[in-house]
């Protein structure tokens, strides 16, 4: 999650605390709209546990956040 927070802070020109709030808010919104199995993959992605799931939902979320 730290990489995403840093990227958001840099690109949006906001503090890391503000960026963490934004990332957490978006992640929680996404998780609320997804089935539980997919929501857990959002958590895994944010924790950096998705390295072998580039084709799955975590990989797609990575593209959404600029990670390829």
């Amino acid at each position: 999650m730290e990489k995403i927070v840093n990227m958001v802070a840099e690109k949006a020109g906001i503090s890391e605390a503000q960026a963490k709030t934004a990332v957490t808010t978006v992640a929680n919104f996404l998780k609320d709209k997804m089935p539980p199995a997919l929501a857990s993959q959002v958590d895994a992605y944010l924790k950096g546990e998705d390295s072998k799931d580039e084709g799955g939902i975590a990989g797609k979320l990575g593209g959404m956040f600029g990670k390829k």
Side-chain angles (χ1 to χ4, degrees):
M1 184 161 150
E2 187 176 328
K3 283 183 178 183
I4 295 172
V5 169
N6 291 335
M7 181 177 55
V8 169
E10 182 181 317
K11 290 188 179 210
I14 58 177
S15 72
E16 287 187 22
Q18 291 170 316
K20 185 173 183 173
T21 298
V23 170
T24 302
T25 300
V26 170
N28 288 337
F29 174 81
L30 292 172
K31 292 187 299 183
D32 286 345
K33 302 296 179 189
M34 295 177 169
L38 295 179
S40 67
Q41 289 187 16
V42 172
D43 286 329
Y45 175 79
L46 292 175
K47 291 177 184 175
E49 298 172 357
D50 72 315
S51 60
K52 295 186 172 134
D53 186 29
E54 292 300 320
I57 187 72
K60 291 178 176 88
L61 286 171
M64 192 169 93
F65 288 113
K67 179 181 175 183
K68 296 183 183 187

